[in-house]
Amino acid sequence: REQTAYTMSVFKGDVRQGLEILSDLVVTPGLGHLAKEKERILRNLDETEAPTRQVIDDRLHACAWRDCSLGNSLVGPFESIGNLTETHLKAYVDANYTAENMVVAAAGPVKHEDMVKLATAALGGVKAGAPRLAAEKPYFCGAELIYRNDEMGPTAYVAVGFEAVPWKSPDAVTFMVMQQVLGTYKKSVGLVPGSISGNRVINAVANKMSVGCADEYECFNRFYKDTGMFGFYIACDEVAVEHAIGELMFGINLLSFAVTDEEVERAKRELKASMYSAPTSAEASCAELGKQMLSYGRGIPPAEMLLRINGVDAEEVKRVAWKYLNDAEVAVTGLGPLHGMPQYYDLRRSTNMHRY
């Protein structure tokens, strides 16, 4: 779930010096300052409140992969952080900051051959880690983790996740298209009101009971090395929890049975726009290249990704949705006034399409 990146923007003539500074940060991190920094770190953790969206995502992972490191919390609480020592940090660095786990990426007016020479000089001494035992695929656990609190306000927060595919799966691009088919909605935000949106799910959510059943929702994808998660996050009024969840679950069901060519073509356009039409920078391009190297083992040219997106059609979406989402286990978490939350049995049953 985590990737650590050290990024630096330098002038063209300072590439060597910048890479040397980055190599010092990686090879010889300042672990000796832990005692001085620990108090500040603990104070910042206590004072900083994690966003609700991040908390919900963290708890959803804990629910789905409770017996695996993927379920470890990223937002706390961290009760044992006070017991960390320099020995612990050094052991972590020695085990993870190894040659096979590192990627050096660069974007801008620099040649690949020059970067190879500079990286070899700066990081050539980094040793490979010890051989690791073949890890089993994390077990996705269908369960619910509900935190009901009727006194935290009128808004309920819910997330539902299905087991999906890893980065390198041939079905990963189809999941990216499916994410755009369901879309993202935020009340009173955007050029086109949700009540007249051409997206079937957004339209249904915005027009439910004439006032809408959700303040916002987001369909998400999480790809990892050997597994993944596909699902949705909802923020809605406490009296509309059942309606909001029902509309999103029905929308996911339709992916297996009734998605149309028009919906898929619209989703493909929106996916391409989100990936390539936004203004970018050399720093953003460098970060994306490093992410692709860690995920795929190589950079993915835009032309290749566009070709793969164009190869997805309605029948392919139905095939993938039927394989992974129809009658599948779900992980559910919620926070807030959840007196209208459906039982887990009903949520699990709603992964099927009941026609009679």
Side-chain angles (χ1 to χ4, degrees):
R1 289 176 64 187
E2 291 183 285
Q3 296 173 347
T4 302
Y6 297 88
T7 305
M8 181 176 289
S9 298
V10 297
F11 291 109
K12 182 179 179 180
D14 299 328
V15 176
R16 179 189 296 275
Q17 184 179 2
L19 192 55
E20 289 175 352
I21 294 173
L22 290 179
S23 67
D24 287 339
L25 292 174
V26 174
V27 178
T28 57
L31 303 182
H33 302 292
L34 176 62
K36 299 178 182 180
E37 295 292 328
K38 186 181 292 186
E39 182 179 350
R40 181 183 63 82
I41 294 172
L42 292 172
R43 185 173 62 252
N44 288 342
L45 288 173
D46 290 336
E47 294 174 354
T48 304
E49 183 176 351
T52 303
R53 176 70 182 88
Q54 188 176 349
V55 172
I56 289 292
D57 190 67
D58 194 71
R59 291 176 175 176
L60 185 62
H61 280 74
C63 178
W65 290 296
R66 60 184 183 183
D67 297 323
C68 174
S69 59
L70 273 178
N72 292 345
S73 176
L74 300 183
V75 300
F78 306 105
E79 295 90 349
S80 60
I81 194 171
N83 299 325
L84 276 178
T85 64
E86 294 179 20
T87 304
H88 293 139
L89 291 182
K90 187 177 186 308
Y92 173 83
V93 170
D94 292 342
N96 294 279
Y97 283 34
T98 54
E100 71 276 9
N101 291 337
M102 290 185 184
V103 169
V104 178
V110 62
K111 295 182 179 180
H112 175 76
E113 295 78 10
D114 296 338
M115 280 302 303
V116 171
K117 294 177 182 178
L118 293 175
T120 302
L123 296 167
V126 177
K127 298 180 180 179
R132 298 187 179 183
L133 298 176
E136 294 184 0
K137 177 184 174 182
Y139 179 76
F140 185 92
C141 180
E144 66 176 356
L145 195 59
I146 303 298
Y147 295 81
R148 178 175 172 177
N149 183 352
D150 294 339
E151 299 179 357
M152 66 174 289
T155 304
Y157 306 91
V158 180
V160 177
F162 295 75
E163 185 176 19
V165 296
W167 278 107
K168 294 183 179 180
S169 170
D171 295 327
V173 174
T174 307
F175 267 99
M176 295 165 66
V177 174
M178 287 160 54
Q179 178 185 1
Q180 296 298 326
V181 171
L182 293 182
T184 299
Y185 167 73
K186 196 165 187 177
K187 203 168 188 177
S188 303
V189 174
L191 183 63
V192 179
S195 57
I196 60 172
S197 172
N199 185 303
R200 182 160 39 174
V201 180
I202 293 177
N203 194 290
V205 169
N207 287 298
K208 190 73 172 182
M209 304 295 290
S210 300
V211 294
C213 59
D215 297 325
E216 64 175 294
Y217 82 79
E218 174 196 351
C219 181
F220 62 81
N221 263 319
R222 301 284 186 269
F223 297 127
Y224 300 112
K225 180 180 179 181
D226 45 13
T227 187
M229 182 184 288
F230 176 86
F232 59 84
Y233 161 81
I234 299 175
C236 63
D237 190 88
E238 58 185 311
V239 300
V241 173
E242 185 173 6
H243 292 298
I245 294 176
E247 290 295 344
L248 268 296
M249 293 297 289
F250 185 68
I252 290 179
N253 258 323
L254 292 180
L255 294 174
S256 301
F257 299 95
V259 67
T260 65
D261 290 322
E262 179 186 2
E263 288 179 301
V264 174
E265 290 302 317
R266 182 191 299 114
K268 287 157 65 174
R269 290 196 301 270
E270 293 175 355
L271 177 58
K272 294 173 187 176
S274 65
M275 295 179 71
Y276 299 114
S277 68
T280 185
S281 63
E283 183 178 354
S285 299
C286 181
E288 181 64 21
L289 178 60
K291 182 179 178 181
Q292 290 177 356
M293 287 297 298
L294 289 174
S295 303
Y296 300 109
R298 64 186 182 93
I300 305 295
E304 178 185 342
M305 182 57 73
L306 291 175
L307 198 63
R308 296 177 65 183
I309 293 173
N310 289 334
V312 178
D313 57 16
E315 291 304 313
E316 176 67 7
V317 169
K318 291 177 184 178
R319 180 192 68 81
V320 173
W322 176 269
K323 180 178 180 181
Y324 296 101
L325 306 180
N326 185 67
D327 195 17
E329 298 296 333
V330 291
V332 184
T333 190
L335 174 67
L338 299 171
H339 49 83
M341 182 78 179
Q343 296 183 15
Y344 181 80
Y345 169 83
D346 296 320
L347 285 173
R348 177 62 180 85
R349 188 170 180 269
S350 65
T351 60
N352 281 321
M353 183 71 80
H354 301 281
R355 298 182 182 276
Y356 302 103

